[in-house]
Amino acid sequence: VPGYKFAGRDGVSASDIGRTTVRVLQNTVPAAVPGIVFLSGGQSEEDATVNLNACNRVQGAKPWAISFSFGRALQASGLKAWNGKDKAAGQAAWFKRAVANHQAVQ
């Protein structure tokens, strides 16, 4: 499973992460591969979405779809809002994350 390319220091922008990640993929992943699907890998759901969006906004050849396994990026805030009691709040939080993640892969 590929991972986002993070620098070992604070203050690295999502744009830097996107450019570096895509450059590594361009240098290593054959164009015949239909898609790259990331795990959110310990990132917050917001950071995972922002970094995915940064990868998809990088200009240049990206012959594969870039997305991620939406487990954490969809579930965490929905489960927290639901908390076993409030179905509507859980659904609203899930929908908000679903929209953000849909936009991140456009």
Side-chain angles (χ1 to χ4, degrees), residues 15-103:
S15 295
D16 290 338
I17 291 168
R19 279 191 305 275
T20 303
T21 300
V22 169
R23 185 174 64 239
V24 168
L25 295 173
Q26 288 169 331
N27 290 328
T28 58
V29 179
V33 172
I36 307 297
V37 180
F38 291 99
L39 298 173
S40 52
Q43 303 173 78
S44 70
E45 54 192 17
E46 291 84 8
D47 286 346
T49 301
V50 166
N51 290 328
L52 174 64
N53 182 268
C55 289
N56 280 303
R57 293 202 179 279
V58 171
Q59 299 297 308
K62 293 187 300 277
W64 358 259
I66 300 175
S67 188
F68 59 61
S69 171
F70 291 98
R72 178 174 298 150
L74 280 178
Q75 295 173 0
S77 60
L79 289 171
K80 184 176 180 181
W82 169 60
N83 197 26
K85 301 171 189 142
D86 193 341
K87 180 179 176 181
Q91 288 174 333
W94 186 87
F95 184 75
K96 180 179 177 183
R97 296 304 317 150
V99 168
N101 287 304
H102 170 74
Q103 292 170 342

Side-chain angles (χ1 to χ4, degrees), residues 4-13 16-17 20:
Y4 291 114
K5 297 296 134 200
F6 296 104
R9 58 186 168 81
D10 291 333
V12 176
S13 71
D16 290 338
I17 291 168
T20 303

